[in-house]
Amino acid sequence: MRAGPAVALIAALLLATTCAAETAQFAGSVTVRSRLEGVGGLSGLDLSDDGGSFVALSDRGRLFRGALTRKGGRLTGVSVTDGVILTGPDGQALSGPMTDAEGLARDRHGRLFVSFEGRHRVWRYDARGLHPQPLPQPPFADALQTNSGMEALAIDPRGRLYTLPERSGALTRPFPVWRYNGRWRQVFTIPRRGPFLPVGADFGPDGRLYLLERDFTGIGFRSRIRAFTLDAGRATGETVLLVSRNRQFDNLEGIAAWRDTDGAIRLTMVSDDNFRWFQRTEIVEYVLPLANPGQTH
């Protein structure tokens, strides 16, 4: 057996023996089509509490808003209603290496936090996506790789912002998780398991941290979702909710966790088509069973 498959097999066995199992159930997918300029490259996603409307972030420096429709508990439709070009503090539209927006999180006041690659940074916008205010530069920003920065942003129930890098620096090194609460501080780590790399995160209404991860196989993408409970400054209760088949979905990068009218947690994701004709922008949804451990009603 060659080294590559051997490493993958060992990683899979390790994952199976160290993580709890919990199954997310497919609840539909739709392809995003719009006549609005610039729709594509969607890397971040945030949903309203009822899952009916969304804000999506393009890695070409745009924000889009829209609505989702469902029938019989399945996602059936999407419409993009308007878009905003992100600007810098000078009021000018972002350009060049400043445009690569990747992570999106919305706080209880509706303010939008956006993380950028290329020029690694996090900015806060108002609820309309205007008037950016740069957060203090993270102390780890200079160590981030050019195309592997802070793709995941999430805000916990106490309003604190979390992020982690797409790459940890070594196959066996855990991902450091940083929190911003007036200043940046590393608060815990998340184990790195197999070839998957974090690209999106969200705190659910149950308080758990949901982490969306991606693996590029060379001919397509696989996605994985893990959930964690934060306890005494540690990420515990690691649970694998989903591992998709190769090319089952496109390049899923953004995730939003919310509770539906039945009381179940839903995980809604969006794909980045990289503005390539052979890829697609899609929204994919999964639902967790009501017997989900740790879920509150």
Side-chain angles (χ1 to χ4, degrees):
M1 183 179 290
R2 293 176 298 170
V7 170
L9 177 60
I10 292 172
L13 292 173
L14 179 62
L15 181 63
T17 57
T18 55
C19 302
E22 185 179 331
T23 303
Q25 300 168 353
F26 181 64
S29 66
V30 292
T31 300
V32 180
R33 296 183 176 89
S34 175
R35 295 182 179 180
L36 286 179
E37 181 182 356
V39 175
L42 302 183
S43 302
L45 183 69
D46 187 274
L47 265 63
S48 58
D49 289 343
D50 65 358
S53 62
F54 68 86
V55 180
L57 176 71
S58 169
D59 57 18
R60 291 191 179 176
R62 293 174 183 258
L63 279 172
F64 296 98
R65 298 180 188 273
L68 299 173
T69 55
R70 298 172 183 84
K71 185 176 182 180
R74 293 183 69 85
L75 183 65
T76 56
V78 55
S79 61
V80 182
T81 56
D82 62 87
V84 173
I85 297 175
L86 295 178
T87 66
D90 60 0
Q92 299 299 309
L94 299 179
S95 61
M98 299 292 286
T99 62
D100 192 0
E102 295 289 348
L104 177 67
R106 180 163 49 181
D107 69 11
R108 61 176 69 109
H109 305 292
R111 298 176 299 184
L112 302 171
F113 293 79
V114 178
S115 62
F116 295 85
E117 286 186 335
R119 302 286 179 85
H120 300 295
R121 65 200 189 278
V122 180
W123 286 357
R124 184 183 68 212
Y125 290 80
D126 67 16
R128 298 170 296 170
L130 304 174
H131 308 300
Q133 295 184 354
L135 270 61
Q137 188 70 347
F140 53 90
D142 290 342
L144 296 174
Q145 299 179 42
T146 301
N147 195 37
S148 299
M150 298 172 283
E151 292 217 7
L153 283 181
I155 295 177
D156 73 8
R158 295 174 58 183
R160 300 175 298 183
L161 182 69
Y162 292 74
T163 190
L164 68 162
E166 185 180 356
R167 295 183 181 274
S168 63
L171 293 175
T172 57
R173 183 180 300 165
F175 298 103
V177 178
W178 292 75
R179 184 174 68 203
Y180 179 77
N181 190 26
R183 66 184 182 92
W184 290 102
R185 184 167 68 93
Q186 183 179 334
V187 286
F188 56 86
T189 62
I190 285 178
R192 180 168 177 170
R193 304 198 189 280
F196 290 91
L197 301 174
V199 290
D202 195 18
F203 280 92
D206 56 356
R208 291 201 294 179
L209 175 63
Y210 293 90
L211 182 67
L212 172 64
E213 300 170 292
R214 170 187 62 196
D215 172 34
F216 177 58
T217 66
I219 60 171
F221 298 93
R222 295 191 302 155
S223 297
R224 182 174 71 190
I225 300 175
R226 288 188 288 168
F228 299 87
T229 300
L230 304 191
D231 181 26
R234 297 183 302 119
T236 64
E238 180 181 355
T239 306
V240 177
L241 303 174
L242 167 70
V243 180
S244 71
R245 302 185 307 275
N246 189 34
R247 302 179 65 183
Q248 180 178 359
F249 306 116
D250 210 287
N251 179 25
L252 297 178
E253 287 200 6
I255 184 171
W258 56 285
R259 194 185 300 280
D260 65 20
T261 55
D262 293 328
I265 300 293
R266 287 185 177 249
L267 305 173
T268 308
M269 295 162 281
V270 68
S271 69
D272 176 2
D273 68 350
N274 295 301
F275 292 94
R276 293 172 175 165
W277 66 267
F278 54 86
Q279 291 187 249
R280 64 190 183 278
T281 300
E282 62 180 340
I283 295 181
V284 177
E285 192 161 279
Y286 276 78
V287 61
L288 302 183
L290 283 172
N292 179 17
Q295 180 170 302
T296 57
H297 298 276

